[in-house]
Amino acid sequence: MTYFRQDIRLRAQEVVALYPQKRSAMLPLLHLAQEHDGYLTPEGMAEVAELTGTSPAEVRGTASFYDMFHLEPVGTYVVGVCTNIACLLAGGQEMLDHAASTLGCAVGSTSADGMFTLEETECLADCNIAPCVQVNHRFVRTTTPDALDALVDDLRNGRRDEEIPAHGTLIRVRRSGGLRAPADQVANERAVAHRAREERAAQEKK
Amino acid sequence: MTDTTRTTVSITINGRAIEAEANELIITAAERAGTYVPRFCYHPRMEPVGVCRMCLVEVDGPRGATLQPACYLRVSDGMSVTTDSEKVKKAQDGVLEFLLANHPLDCPVCDKGGECPLQDQTLAHGSGETRFIEEKRHFAKPIEIGELVLLDRERCIQCSRCTRFASEVAGDAQIDFAGRGESIEVAPFPTEPFDSIYSGNTVQICPVGALTAKPYRFTARPWDLEQVESTCTTCSVGCRVAVQSSQGRLTRVLGIDSDAVNHGWLCDKGRFAIDAIDGDETSTSVTDPRTRITEPMVRRNGELVVTSWSEALDAASTIVRASRASSFGAIGGAALTNEGAFAWERFLRGVVHTDNIDAQYGDGLDAALLQSLPRATLNDMAEACTVVVLSGDLREELPIAFLRLRDSVTKGRTNVVELVTGSSAVRSLARVSLPTRPGEAHHVAGAVAGDDSALASLGLHSQGAGFSEYELAEARRLIGTDGAGVVFVVGRSNLAEDSAIVENAVAIFARQFPKARFLPALRRSNVFGALDMGLSPGLRPGRSSAVAMARALGVAADATGRGTIEQLHALRDGTQSALLLLGGCVISNTLQRGLAEAALGAAAVIAVTGHGSASLAYADVILPSSVSHERSGTVTNLEGRVSAVFPKIVAPGSAWSDVAIASELAEMLGQSLGLDSPEHTSQTIEDSVGYPAASVMAAGASDGIVVGRDHTTTAAGTEDPMANPGLRSAELVGLSPRAGDVTARGDVPTASVPAVETRDVQIQSVPSTALADAYALQVVVSRRLYDQSAAVLGSPALADLIPHTVGMANPYDLDRLGVSTGDVVRAVGTLGSFDIEVVVNALVPRGVLEFVANTLADDGRDIVGRALAMNEAVIELRLESR
Amino acid sequence: MAVFTAPKIVSSRSEFADSHTLTRFLATGGFEGLRRALTMYPEAVAAEVDTASLLGRGGAGFPAGRKWSMLRKAPVSYLVINGDESEPATFKDHYLVEREPHQLIEGVTIAAYALQVTQAFIFLRGEFALGLERVQQAINDAYEQGALGSNIFGSGFSLDIVVHPGAGAYICGEETSLIEALEGKRGFPRIKPPFFPAAIGLYGQPTVVNNVETMANLPWIVSHGGAAFAALGLGRSTGTRLFALSGRVNNPGMFELEMAKNTFRDIIFDPALGGGIINNGQVKAFIPGGVSAPWLGPDDLDTPLGQDEVGAKATMLGSGSIVVMDQTTCAVRAAWRITKFFSRESCGQCTPCREGSGWLERIMFRLEHGGGRMEDLDLLMDLCDNIAPGLGWPPQQTTICVLGSSIPSSITSAINMFRDEFYAHVTHDGCPHD
Ligand SMILES: Cc1cc2nc3c(=O)[nH]c(=O)nc-3n(C[C@H](O)[C@H](O)[C@H](O)COP(=O)(O)O)c2cc1C
Ligand code: SF4
Ligand code: FES
């Protein structure tokens, strides 16, 4: 019996297989757990612990280090507004204040209808289109209050569903090719290549 | 080029040239040279992490002198280190100021106030005035992160000592850092509290008052504390401890860093069971372990009444006189000091002339066999290339021995081969696990020793041997041919099977691997001292069996007396009429509660004890004795290490020492034991049998002397006040000699102990134990740290941790049998049946139903007792739905 | 006036809207560099990179060829690509992974071949949802093209690349922290020594960590030769570089320019580049290479955009991101916001960084929002000095990684350059600009 849905569990196992050590799958698995529940539930974290061979406390400890992981429920849309230096110079703080009034929730909280969570973010690396706004980690490039309001209206009415999935879903492109080669095969190829290199080096010396 | 074979390098510290060990940390090299570098996160028993940055010193390098963490950087030849420059001072003061910025100013109400390294550092170096005028970080007040530990997050300085201890040392990563930056906090998982049996160590090593122990919290102020170094007698590991009291009551026990024994760590039972010593003043029932027995009592008209010593001794002597030697016997003694045990042995053999003496409760191993084995020390185990474990769960029975083994395995020094009978934490350490069905340990031992017929008898079993040829070969390879460098840890892996099975296995190992050493895993406090003092049928003081002595003297050996179980049968049947109980409760200690109750009910019972117990319901005379931390003397641990115990408090009421009680009782019978006092007894032990009791007492607080081993003197250690803050109260940082170290160890004379003779081990045949059918499970009875023993029941904080009686089984079997965890099922044996809740436990081997002895249930003990009563050797039960 | 003679090396497809597709990639010389590399000895490929003198584009500017040469003899190693891009005002890698993901995969494969590494990881900032999808798609495409996986293009060389999503923590851009995150842990940087990735990296094995942009240069270098690359730029600053310009300019954006040939004045004022200050304003100050770098002022505008040239000004070109402040900008507010960033992003291991950043942020907040005191200036400077003793450049460290020693940059710059503004904040009991 696993807590994750069958499809998530399968993807999780695929992810674990990509790494030489299973703990390495921690962050991708936490993203999956978040896709499963919208945020990190204790059940989800416990399952990640089992999959990565760690303790639940270690999973929680690791997850809570990272801003993208939410240990409490969040809205369907997590709206992030950057107020770091480049955006600050372009009115980021004002945009954040405006977002709070449009969404009806204070920074760091979720709107009453559970639709939106507003976050003040650090630089999102899109500083030429400032102030920068992300919804569920998609760049929406709305730099004016009016554009933001229009976006919120779109979100409320499901007009951006295609482009912006509910919070938690991060990567929708599945890996299609070449799961990690078996370790011994890789080691073998590496040894062969290494030997060839040494031979060549020896020849070149001559 | 650096010469990697060199073991020392030259470095300079503050311009002074010193020798350092190659690859040593700067902090330890400096410390040995007398330069103390301040620190918070560094702990000498854990890997350095270099995070608090308090230990920054200047180190010359290619780009000039840079600030480097002394706790992290290792010395290299020619390195130049400066610890006293202006730059270093400014950096260190800066770190200290940063640490204090958000630290609350609640020292006056903090448990750690007065013994806090942060406070000490601040007093010593801080500017005295804070430049931080902002609002400090706030967290909700203390939160409970486990049953025994509270966390005050505001006080935490993020040194990660506790989280590192949990994952690195204990292997119980139930707490970890959560959050990032300023909001980092120590946190357990919401649904999984910090219930490690080692949790108290995190409190001990926390350098501030962030972690506090629930039992200790607010019980004393550090400056009231008095301290003595002693030996923990909660189990037979005998950890070195500092015992502290305040106003005449025990307040706290801290681990002392002994290289030989516990490395500073303690288990929570050893740490928190002190509540059981003082007892609960409001408790008066003699059957309650929380009751302190302070006055002599005798039974009059069926009621126990308080009386005078002379009347009580008179009543006791009447009982002794009324019974012949063969109808008198004694059970218990593992809780005594060696001196107490020696006195009672003299009384029993010299005055009463009985050999019906047993310090074990039918759950141990043959004492003469154990004494004949070449004994290993804990350090031998930690340095062994291979450790073979055939015992109950070491973590539950001898917690610090487990930590020592774990340390050795995680550092890659030691491989573990495990004979698996029940669930055990040793599994996580084992290189090879050989499933061993109940009743077959001797066959598996034979197979390991290369005996093909033993292997064949496993193969004859319907399910064959539980391990593959490959695993067996690997185990054999790790053990080698003669056992050189191998330590066998041997104890009762399954209390439900005949002890002869493990004894046979041990005998096979001893014969086949002559160079191996053995660490016996009996857990009861001073059981090894009691046996060495002769409290077992056929033994004599000084660890030489009567058999061996008789042979040496050329005379016939004594007819041996009755052990505990035989005595209980004899009492019930009327063959024996009187019983002397020495310190322990025979009813809660034996697995066969019904038998014990019937036996005591039929007998005249004299109980010498400090605490109430179920057995006292049957006592005719109760003689109050002083107990741990109230008496001085010596104890002997599983290694055979004799070390001293010192009193910290005075026994309440009119309790006497066991030496005094035994002597006075002998006087009443018109004889003298010739023992004046515990000190005189130590001397007598040493004079008469060469056992180093007096030498150890003379040495004061020390790691003691291992009997039968060449005694190498170790230099007295220095106790880093930062490693275990609280060990000495209110010391400013600076090196202090190890707490309580009153005498240099070099003064301890080497004791001459009679050479131990290896016994000819007889291998008895034990019936083979095929399972009746595929639906039957075989019963394994194991132990847990927290059970209904007096120490746990008497400690309020621990009593809540005693588990309930359940039957544990492997998920495979539960699946197979269609039983889910939590189901109550009927267990059917040949002689009856009972109902039991079944719980899944993946560590339980397949085919096994495991019970924990002495746990809580409506008829808890009876379940195990009844299961045992159903078949004497090995039990099979079928699970049926009700 | 700016010089535009150099070819576009890493952003050559920027004019195409479909630059992220395999079709466009193949139509514009995709995999040519890789195919050529596979005909060469691995050592020869590395030698080209050495000749190119390609400086790492992640911030520290260490020559890639030299870094590799330390590893080529090691029998086991991993290649890890740093795409965490979180240094404020930096957005070049964002462009590269979203718009030219195949070029990145090609570059990584070339590097892996040169290093004879069979397993590479691309650590991508988690907030780049689209970038993560595009890079994964590019990997899928490359597998399909035979440009990844077993026996790449029949050369006998095999490589797997795994995209590893970050999860929102600036510190994971620091290479040892990134490795910890890749091992599934909190991003706590490791202590160097001994944990130099080249010695003890991922899973304790020798590991090369290179930035996304560094990798993106490789196809061109192999196709055109290291010498052609080295011929561009000046001195140690060879080739071109993506400069990210933001702040109070009319035309913020990302520009690929030849290194050291243009000045800050060029990039800020050239009509084809920054296009000057908003409302024809004046440059008050600018940050030359990410917020970890000390600020420069109007007098420094003619400094060339080269590693050593900027270094000579006691600051750094860092991640190549330039933030321009004009007269409307409050220096205290700017420095406060940057300090708040460091406080939020400190991993929390080291006391000076964890506590120091928080304390500094609180003082700066007070100065900006009211409650500032004259003595706060000395206190700020002294606390900064306790974090980075001497306050020189490059800073001295009291911490494990250089995030700690970067904290003082903005505060000391602001105080040194605009002390009067601080005084004004104190006397005004808050920001006079508000
Ligand atoms: C706090 C901190 C943050 C960093 N962030 C990044 C980053 O986001 N991306 C990056 O490529 N390098 C970053 N670096 C530099 C890396 O540690 C490393 O030097 C770089 O990835 C090496 O690649 P390169 O040689 O190709 O430049 C950062 C360093 C520090 C100290
Ligand atoms: S300097 Fe700061 S970010 Fe770097 S390791 Fe130390 S605490 Fe973490
Ligand atoms: S950094 Fe050395 S003791 Fe903490």
Side-chain angles (χ1 to χ4, degrees):
Chain A
M1 265 290 288
T2 72
Y3 169 71
F4 287 155
R5 285 193 310 268
Q6 183 83 24
D7 60 320
I8 297 274
R9 175 83 187 183
L10 276 175
R11 279 168 66 193
Q13 284 163 340
E14 243 171 68
V15 167
V16 171
L18 288 176
Y19 294 91
Q21 293 181 5
K22 53 186 178 177
R23 180 162 184 166
S24 273
M26 181 76 80
L27 301 190
L29 290 190
L30 286 168
H31 281 304
L32 272 183
Q34 206 155 252
E35 176 168 344
H36 189 268
D37 294 324
Y39 74 104
L40 292 180
T41 57
E43 294 81 4
M45 287 188 280
E47 183 141 337
V48 171
E50 179 231 309
L51 285 160
T52 53
T54 54
S55 78
E58 286 172 313
V59 171
R60 177 175 185 267
T62 307
S64 61
F65 183 88
Y66 298 95
D67 291 341
M68 286 174 74
F69 296 132
H70 293 272
L71 278 73
E72 300 294 332
V74 287
T76 315
Y77 299 108
V78 174
V79 178
V81 180
C82 172
T83 60
N84 204 311
I85 186 71
C87 290
L88 186 81
L89 298 181
Q93 184 62 50
E94 292 73 16
M95 180 63 108
L96 182 66
D97 295 342
H98 177 78
S101 73
T102 298
L103 301 176
C105 58
V107 177
S109 67
T110 301
S111 60
D113 59 2
M115 191 103 174
F116 297 101
T117 297
L118 179 61
E119 290 183 339
E120 178 187 16
T121 75
E122 295 302 339
C123 178
L124 293 165
D126 210 28
C127 319
N128 52 334
I129 307 173
C132 178
V133 178
Q134 271 196 338
V135 177
N136 292 349
H137 307 297
R138 269 75 187 171
F139 291 98
V140 291
R141 306 206 159 139
T142 50
T143 57
T144 63
D146 289 348
L148 181 80
D149 292 351
L151 167 77
V152 170
D153 193 53
D154 282 355
L155 290 170
R156 282 195 203 283
N157 294 296
R159 287 193 290 267
R160 302 285 283 264
D161 287 359
E162 191 93 335
E163 175 197 349
I164 304 174
H167 180 259
T169 298
L170 191 64
I171 313 175
R172 289 163 302 178
V173 177
R174 298 280 300 278
R175 192 184 157 105
S176 64
L179 284 179
R180 193 167 70 89
D184 45 351
Q185 182 192 326
V186 170
N188 238 349
E189 282 180 19
R190 182 190 295 283
V192 169
H194 189 66
R195 227 173 302 131
R197 218 178 333 154
E198 296 204 317
E199 271 166 29
R200 246 183 276 130
Q203 261 175 5
E204 273 162 25
K205 250 188 213 148
K206 274 189 228 152
Chain B
M1 282 271 67
T2 44
D3 179 0
T4 49
T5 56
R6 257 182 77 187
T7 53
T8 62
V9 295
S10 312
I11 65 170
T12 63
I13 293 193
N14 300 332
R16 206 155 46 88
I18 64 159
E19 291 281 295
E21 284 164 37
N23 225 25
E24 181 180 19
L25 296 170
I26 293 174
I27 205 166
T28 53
E31 191 164 312
R32 257 187 301 100
T35 303
Y36 187 84
V37 181
R39 71 217 42 195
F40 288 107
C41 66
Y42 174 72
H43 189 283
R45 291 293 178 187
M46 298 195 284
E47 290 298 313
V49 286
V51 296
C52 78
R53 317 304 286 179
M54 189 64 203
C55 66
L56 291 173
V57 295
E58 273 189 285
V59 178
D60 272 346
R63 284 191 209 95
T66 53
L67 291 166
Q68 299 288 343
C71 75
Y72 202 88
L73 197 64
R74 296 181 185 276
V75 298
S76 56
D77 206 25
M79 182 180 264
S80 166
V81 178
T82 310
T83 71
D84 57 0
S85 63
E86 271 309 303
K87 186 168 163 190
V88 167
K89 190 172 166 357
K90 183 158 196 308
Q92 293 180 350
D93 288 351
V95 170
L96 191 59
E97 186 182 26
F98 284 137
L99 281 175
L100 291 167
N102 277 298
H103 193 81
L105 301 169
D106 62 350
C107 305
V109 299
C110 176
D111 252 0
K112 208 77 168 193
E115 57 177 38
C116 171
L118 183 61
Q119 192 183 29
D120 294 346
Q121 285 281 322
T122 308
L123 292 174
H125 305 288
S127 68
E129 209 172 289
T130 175
R131 299 194 286 176
F132 187 85
I133 61 163
E134 328 294 332
E135 179 84 1
K136 287 184 192 267
R137 202 156 50 214
H138 277 305
F139 283 110
K141 268 297 158 188
I143 52 172
E144 198 177 299
I145 57 170
E147 276 294 334
L148 300 168
V149 182
L150 295 166
L151 167 67
D152 188 328
R153 290 169 291 175
E154 287 175 3
R155 294 184 187 146
C156 172
I157 60 166
Q158 285 86 11
C159 69
S160 73
R161 279 180 168 198
C162 58
T163 52
R164 282 183 285 142
F165 172 83
S167 65
E168 183 184 320
V169 181
D172 301 325
Q174 296 165 319
I175 48 171
D176 200 358
F177 271 162
R180 187 177 74 213
E182 265 203 338
S183 65
I184 278 191
E185 62 180 71
V186 172
F189 196 65
T191 57
E192 194 178 281
F194 183 38
D195 64 2
S196 165
I197 60 164
Y198 304 107
S199 70
N201 292 296
T202 62
V203 176
Q204 174 165 334
I205 61 178
C206 178
V208 292
L211 293 175
T212 42
K214 263 207 278 181
Y216 171 70
R217 205 170 148 79
F218 301 131
T219 57
R221 306 302 299 160
W223 43 87
D224 294 335
L225 286 176
E226 293 165 22
Q227 170 180 311
V228 68
E229 179 174 336
S230 192
T231 308
C232 177
T233 52
T234 311
C235 82
S236 69
V237 171
C239 293
R240 303 301 302 154
V241 288
V243 182
Q244 300 178 335
S245 69
S246 172
Q247 294 165 355
R249 278 189 79 86
L250 294 171
T251 51
R252 186 166 65 170
V253 171
L254 295 171
I256 282 180
D257 193 334
S258 154
D259 232 5
V261 187
N262 57 319
H263 289 188
W265 312 129
L266 296 178
C267 72
D268 285 356
K269 187 170 165 187
R271 185 182 300 274
F272 296 121
I274 46 166
D275 279 347
I277 305 289
D278 285 336
D280 178 347
E281 279 141 14
T282 64
S283 173
T284 52
S285 161
V286 292
T287 56
D288 188 332
R290 285 169 301 188
T291 307
R292 250 335 274 264
I293 304 296
T294 56
E295 304 298 334
M297 297 173 107
V298 293
R299 191 171 293 278
R300 273 200 209 115
N301 307 325
E303 292 289 313
L304 281 170
V305 292
V306 171
T307 182
S308 66
W309 265 109
S310 58
E311 254 182 79
L313 288 169
D314 189 45
S317 63
T318 307
I319 291 173
V320 179
R321 255 191 235 105
S323 60
R324 285 168 297 111
S326 67
S327 61
F328 192 86
I331 293 176
L336 304 173
T337 57
N338 291 338
E339 288 68 18
F342 183 81
W344 283 116
E345 197 274 343
R346 270 205 173 175
F347 174 81
L348 289 162
R349 290 221 172 78
V351 177
V352 187
H353 301 294
T354 181
D355 196 36
N356 300 327
I357 305 173
D358 199 350
Q360 304 191 72
Y361 290 94
D363 54 359
L365 290 172
D366 182 86
L369 170 67
L370 291 182
Q371 295 197 338
S372 71
L373 297 168
R375 195 75 71 89
T377 61
L378 289 164
N379 277 350
D380 289 339
M381 175 185 76
E383 284 153 21
C385 55
T386 299
V387 172
V388 181
V389 180
L390 168 58
S391 73
D393 187 348
L394 280 184
R395 184 167 69 179
E396 297 288 338
E397 299 201 4
L398 302 164
I400 299 302
F402 176 81
L403 278 198
R404 294 292 314 274
L405 182 60
R406 183 174 187 281
D407 178 57
S408 182
V409 171
T410 54
K411 297 217 168 99
R413 282 196 301 267
T414 297
N415 291 309
V416 169
V417 174
E418 182 202 19
L419 274 62
V420 188
T421 37
S423 62
S424 169
V426 173
R427 190 77 33 87
S428 63
L429 308 180
R431 197 45 199 278
V432 181
S433 292
L434 302 175
T436 304
R437 280 180 296 261
E440 295 186 355
H442 57 309
H443 291 321
V444 176
V448 166
D451 174 354
D452 288 339
S453 66
L455 185 57
S457 54
L458 289 169
L460 286 178
H461 199 286
S462 60
Q463 287 146 352
F467 43 85
S468 67
E469 260 174 55
Y470 168 78
E471 286 164 316
L472 182 62
E474 182 66 358
R476 283 181 180 166
R477 186 183 69 76
L478 291 172
I479 298 169
T481 49
D482 59 1
V486 178
V487 167
F488 287 87
V489 178
V490 293
R492 285 291 289 277
S493 51
N494 174 9
L495 299 175
E497 73 185 8
D498 194 320
S499 67
I501 290 164
V502 167
E503 284 156 6
N504 276 354
V506 172
I508 291 167
F509 288 142
R511 212 168 47 182
Q512 204 61 37
F513 304 108
K515 294 198 172 146
R517 289 188 165 273
F518 291 78
L519 192 66
L522 303 180
R523 73 165 190 170
R524 217 165 268 122
S525 59
N526 192 32
V527 64
F528 291 100
L531 298 178
D532 282 357
M533 292 304 106
L535 295 187
S536 190
L539 294 191
R540 292 291 183 274
R543 198 191 286 183
S544 47
S545 74
V547 181
M549 276 215 321
R551 189 177 307 142
L553 298 170
V555 298
D558 279 0
T560 52
R562 288 186 281 264
T564 292
I565 301 299
E566 289 96 338
Q567 286 193 55
L568 293 179
H569 282 291
L571 287 164
R572 190 181 61 185
D573 305 345
T575 329
Q576 185 173 324
S577 61
L579 181 65
L580 173 65
L581 287 178
L582 294 174
C585 175
V586 68
I587 292 176
S588 66
N589 273 305
T590 175
L591 294 170
Q592 302 185 44
R593 183 190 180 116
L595 170 63
E597 284 169 346
L600 293 188
V605 177
I606 306 166
V608 183
T609 183
H611 291 103
S613 76
S615 298
L616 295 191
Y618 304 91
D620 297 293
V621 181
I622 302 177
L623 305 175
S625 63
S626 52
V627 299
S628 302
H629 308 313
E630 297 169 354
R631 57 195 184 185
S632 74
T634 60
V635 290
T636 305
N637 78 351
L638 77 180
E639 309 166 284
R641 179 184 305 280
V642 181
S643 60
V645 292
F646 290 109
K648 185 67 224 68
I649 51 169
V650 180
S654 43
W656 289 359
S657 76
D658 280 272
V659 172
I661 300 172
S663 299
E664 291 299 320
L665 193 53
E667 296 288 341
M668 293 295 272
L669 293 163
Q671 304 210 32
S672 169
L673 297 186
L675 305 170
D676 291 347
S677 63
E679 293 69 30
H680 179 241
T681 308
S682 307
Q683 195 60 55
T684 310
I685 295 172
E686 187 142 353
D687 293 346
S688 59
V689 293
Y691 200 82
S695 301
V696 166
M697 289 307 287
S702 74
D703 288 347
I705 297 173
V706 179
V707 174
R709 292 288 279 260
D710 282 345
H711 178 60
T712 49
T713 56
T714 37
T718 43
E719 191 73 51
D720 172 5
M722 214 67 146
N724 295 300
L727 221 47
R728 303 193 102 206
S729 348
E731 278 289 329
L732 286 192
V733 171
L735 292 182
S736 56
R738 206 178 98 171
D741 232 344
V742 292
T743 314
R745 278 164 226 198
D747 294 350
V748 181
T750 302
S752 63
V753 176
V756 172
E757 192 170 323
T758 307
R759 197 172 76 138
D760 274 335
V761 277
Q762 294 292 318
I763 299 182
Q764 346 164 356
S765 73
V766 178
S768 189
T769 56
L771 277 175
D773 63 60
Y775 294 96
L777 298 177
Q778 288 178 302
V779 169
V780 165
V781 175
S782 60
R783 290 191 184 284
R784 288 289 180 275
L785 188 66
Y786 303 123
D787 60 7
Q788 297 201 77
S789 59
V792 178
L793 286 173
S795 305
L798 300 180
D800 290 344
L801 303 175
I802 304 172
H804 281 262
T805 302
V806 290
M808 297 177 291
N810 190 283
Y812 165 84
D813 289 318
L814 291 191
D815 264 9
R816 193 167 59 89
L817 300 172
V819 177
S820 311
T821 202
D823 287 356
V824 175
V825 297
R826 174 144 300 167
V828 184
T830 40
L831 298 181
S833 69
F834 54 86
D835 290 345
I836 182 80
E837 180 187 342
V838 178
V839 167
V840 69
N841 181 340
L843 282 178
V844 175
R846 289 182 183 186
V848 161
L849 183 65
E850 181 170 340
F851 295 109
V852 176
N854 210 11
T855 46
L856 293 175
D858 302 336
D859 54 347
R861 255 177 296 261
D862 266 336
I863 286 186
V864 175
R866 280 157 63 189
L868 276 174
M870 286 182 211
N871 184 328
E872 297 256 317
V874 178
I875 308 159
E876 286 176 23
L877 291 174
R878 294 169 55 106
L879 297 184
E880 294 172 1
S881 59
R882 289 185 300 165
Chain C
M1 272 292 99
V3 193
F4 297 108
T5 51
K8 292 238 190 306
I9 291 179
V10 294
S11 63
S12 61
R13 299 175 183 92
S14 56
E15 69 217 60
F16 302 111
D18 62 352
S19 60
H20 62 282
T21 61
L22 178 68
T23 321
R24 176 63 63 193
F25 178 67
L26 292 176
T28 50
F31 293 133
E32 272 173 22
L34 173 60
R35 285 183 195 279
R36 186 169 147 65
L38 292 172
T39 65
M40 300 160 67
Y41 288 147
E43 295 79 357
V45 176
E48 287 300 332
V49 177
D50 222 0
T51 307
S53 176
L54 171 67
L55 300 184
R57 302 299 199 231
F62 194 82
R66 193 126 58 83
K67 190 184 278 189
W68 296 3
S69 68
M70 299 193 288
L71 265 117
R72 284 215 302 279
K73 295 232 159 50
V76 184
S77 55
Y78 294 101
L79 174 60
V80 174
I81 306 310
N82 188 342
D84 191 53
E85 186 158 71
S86 313
E87 179 76 21
T90 311
F91 47 97
K92 64 198 180 67
D93 297 343
H94 178 198
Y95 164 85
L96 289 171
V97 298
E98 251 182 37
R99 301 284 307 281
E100 306 215 24
H102 297 86
Q103 171 178 268
L104 171 64
I105 300 307
E106 183 182 358
V108 173
T109 311
I110 292 170
Y113 176 70
L115 290 160
Q116 290 291 294
V117 162
T118 57
Q119 177 72 60
F121 295 95
I122 300 180
F123 187 104
L124 259 194
R125 184 168 179 185
E127 289 93 336
F128 293 166
L130 182 61
L132 284 160
E133 293 182 341
R134 292 227 166 129
V135 172
Q136 186 58 66
Q137 187 57 51
I139 289 174
N140 292 351
D141 291 345
Y143 263 106
E144 207 141 283
Q145 297 290 309
L148 209 52
S150 273
N151 193 15
I152 295 174
F153 292 147
S155 65
F157 174 68
S158 305
L159 172 70
D160 179 43
I161 303 179
V162 170
V163 188
H164 189 87
Y170 164 66
I171 192 59
C172 288
E174 197 282 337
E175 55 190 5
T176 59
S177 163
L178 180 146
I179 288 172
E180 287 280 300
L182 200 42
E183 289 183 4
K185 303 175 188 153
R186 275 182 304 274
F188 278 175
R190 299 171 174 175
I191 303 186
K192 306 188 249 189
F195 290 101
F196 291 106
I200 312 173
L202 184 62
Y203 310 123
Q205 303 300 322
T207 301
V208 162
V209 182
N210 268 134
N211 171 258
V212 162
E213 186 187 347
T214 313
M215 289 295 109
N217 277 292
L218 298 179
W220 195 94
I221 290 178
V222 173
S223 300
H224 298 79
F229 191 86
L232 299 168
L234 272 180
R236 279 213 313 139
S237 303
T238 59
T240 63
R241 185 159 187 184
L242 290 176
F243 290 98
L245 180 68
S246 64
R248 306 289 300 166
V249 290
N250 284 313
N251 181 27
M254 197 201 60
F255 311 106
E256 181 170 355
L257 298 174
E258 200 173 346
M259 293 261 295
K261 289 285 178 66
N262 299 290
T263 63
F264 286 101
R265 188 184 301 286
D266 293 337
I267 196 170
I268 293 170
F269 288 98
D270 192 291
L273 302 172
I277 304 297
I278 295 175
N279 296 330
N280 279 323
Q282 301 285 303
V283 172
K284 171 175 176 171
F286 62 94
I287 311 176
V291 299
S292 304
W295 304 356
L296 293 175
D299 295 348
D300 304 306
L301 279 170
D302 293 315
T303 311
L305 295 164
Q307 176 129 328
D308 295 337
E309 293 79 353
V310 178
K313 298 271 175 182
T315 178
M316 63 174 178
L317 197 51
S319 57
S321 39
I322 301 150
V323 186
V324 182
M325 302 179 224
D326 67 358
Q327 296 310 343
T328 69
T329 309
C330 169
V332 176
R333 185 164 149 100
W336 160 63
R337 186 58 186 83
I338 291 169
T339 310
K340 177 173 165 181
F341 162 77
F342 282 121
S343 173
R344 278 179 73 169
E345 297 297 341
S346 163
C347 83
Q349 285 188 96
C350 311
T351 306
C353 174
R354 177 185 68 241
E355 303 294 335
S357 62
W359 190 353
L360 290 169
E361 192 269 329
R362 286 171 175 82
I363 299 172
M364 291 298 290
F365 180 90
R366 250 191 312 108
L367 283 160
E368 171 65 10
H369 295 95
R373 309 166 305 169
M374 285 298 175
E375 64 258 43
D376 284 335
L377 272 77
D378 286 346
L379 179 57
L380 285 169
M381 289 304 267
D382 192 52
L383 295 179
C384 286
D385 187 58
N386 282 344
I387 297 173
L391 296 177
W393 191 265
Q396 293 201 41
Q397 266 174 261
T398 56
T399 50
I400 290 173
C401 84
V402 297
L403 185 148
S405 35
S406 303
I407 300 168
S409 293
S410 60
I411 295 177
T412 56
S413 297
I415 292 180
N416 288 336
M417 295 167 75
F418 308 105
R419 183 170 282 266
D420 287 348
E421 252 181 74
F422 279 79
Y423 293 152
H425 277 74
V426 175
T427 46
H428 192 266
D429 198 29
C431 187
H433 290 73
D434 288 343

